[in-house]
Amino acid sequence: MKLSPAVITLFVATTEAFTVAPTGHGTSKINMIINGETETASEKVASVFSKLPEENAVVDKLVKTNFPGAISNKDLATRVVELLGEKGFKPSNTLLATSLCADELARELEDEFVEIYGNNFNLGGLSGFPFAGNTGFGAMAAHIPDDGFCLVIHGPHVGITKEGQIGKVERSGIALVDNCCGSAIAASNYLKGITDGGATITPKIQQFTDFQQGAVQELILPFGKRLGRAENRMRELPYALYDSQEALVTDIVNTGKGGIKKGLAVLGGIQINTSPDTLD
């Protein structure tokens, strides 16, 4: 799995308001020992990724050809830990909150950050949309450690096979090369049916037995022309989803930022899932 594009925004709480802090890649290694902890944040990153396979150069090139700017989870975690450490984020004072897809493949990135920062507050649902909404964000903010921070990670995901097919991915224990992201592709097909004139908008789109998927289909409606003009619809789809989710996350953060204690970092990007035997 790679992440592309990775965008991190820092909000620092002050007595007056929230201000956007400068962003950039830190260059100094974090060397903080927290009470009760025996590892620095950087050492936790090294420990997490020491168990994983080495990067596959062929797969890495394939991913970056299709998704320019993509970086591995390991590189991402290293950069995030360095940057946030300079702002005072530590495993002991930071609550992790994610808005990622329900798909088990999305747990890879999530679990890696959990091993670094600790427990996770789940804000997301199908396709990675923040379905916990304002209520969930408010509850999460109340769980941030006193005088502490929050790191929010959000974004859709997309699969790519070893042969370079986008929108599909190999899965452990399954012979069939499966859709990824299935929710996003279903929403894209629904939208294509409307823009092509071959489908009728269903009045059951908000039925509670499939509420999240109905919402995904509505939230992607503004991107019909963009996806229709795309050279590769499956490659463009996660970017369209990201733009939709970014607007929602920004609105939720702006609504609930008064409950943040010391600071909030928001990391957004597209997860790119690869086969189980390759480095995510």
Side-chain angles (χ1 to χ4, degrees):
M1 186 188 312
K2 310 291 182 184
L3 197 79
S4 173
V7 178
I8 189 164
T9 304
L10 297 175
F11 297 87
V12 180
T14 68
T15 55
E16 298 178 354
F18 280 74
T19 58
V20 179
T23 59
H25 298 317
T27 56
S28 59
K29 177 183 177 182
I30 297 175
N31 190 28
M32 301 175 293
I33 300 292
I34 297 107
N35 290 337
E37 295 180 344
T38 59
E39 289 181 301
T40 66
S42 292
E43 286 169 343
K44 286 192 174 189
V45 172
S47 175
V48 168
F49 291 96
S50 66
K51 313 163 193 173
L52 301 179
E54 293 296 321
E55 190 165 291
N56 185 308
V58 175
V59 173
D60 185 62
K61 181 179 180 180
L62 180 65
V63 170
K64 291 179 179 178
T65 297
N66 285 280
F67 298 96
I71 60 174
S72 69
N73 285 9
K74 180 179 180 180
D75 288 343
L76 175 72
T78 300
R79 296 182 190 185
V80 168
V81 162
E82 289 180 350
L83 173 60
L84 296 188
E86 293 175 356
K87 305 298 181 182
F89 288 65
K90 308 173 185 178
S92 64
N93 71 358
T94 300
L95 174 64
L96 175 68
T98 61
S99 183
L100 304 170
C101 187
D103 192 319
E104 71 275 9
L105 294 181
R107 305 285 75 76
E108 295 282 347
L109 179 68
E110 184 177 272
D111 289 347
E112 287 157 4
F113 272 89
V114 165
E115 288 196 55
I116 297 167
Y117 286 106
N119 293 329
N120 171 57
F121 192 108
N122 181 30
L123 298 169
L126 291 182
S127 288
F129 279 94
F131 284 111
N134 296 324
T135 299
F137 188 88
M140 178 277 296
H143 300 171
I144 297 172
D146 293 338
D147 200 31
F149 300 87
C150 176
L151 168 59
V152 174
I153 301 176
H154 74 92
H157 71 129
V158 62
I160 182 170
T161 68
K162 290 180 177 179
E163 288 70 39
Q165 184 178 6
I166 300 173
K168 299 278 188 180
V169 73
E170 299 88 353
R171 294 177 186 264
S172 295
I174 301 176
L176 178 69
V177 176
D178 194 26
N179 287 345
C180 181
C181 165
S183 167
I185 293 172
S188 173
N189 291 339
Y190 170 78
L191 176 57
K192 190 174 188 300
I194 294 173
T195 55
D196 289 352
T200 303
I201 298 179
T202 171
K204 297 182 179 180
I205 195 169
Q206 294 291 10
Q207 61 185 2
F208 282 99
T209 53
D210 205 10
F211 182 83
Q212 288 193 13
Q213 184 59 27
V216 174
Q217 291 174 183
E218 285 198 30
L219 289 163
I220 201 177
L221 287 175
F223 301 95
K225 289 184 178 179
R226 172 175 166 180
L227 292 174
R229 292 193 299 260
E231 179 181 348
N232 185 320
R233 189 180 182 94
M234 288 299 99
R235 182 165 54 204
E236 186 64 25
L237 179 58
Y239 289 102
L241 288 167
Y242 176 83
D243 288 344
S244 181
Q245 291 173 21
E246 175 71 5
L248 284 178
V249 170
T250 299
D251 183 69
I252 291 170
V253 168
N254 286 335
T255 300
K257 64 187 179 184
I260 298 299
K261 295 172 181 176
K262 194 170 185 179
L264 167 71
V266 180
L267 173 65
I270 297 168
Q271 289 190 74
I272 305 169
N273 298 114
T274 55
S275 63
D277 59 345
T278 57
L279 180 64
D280 289 343

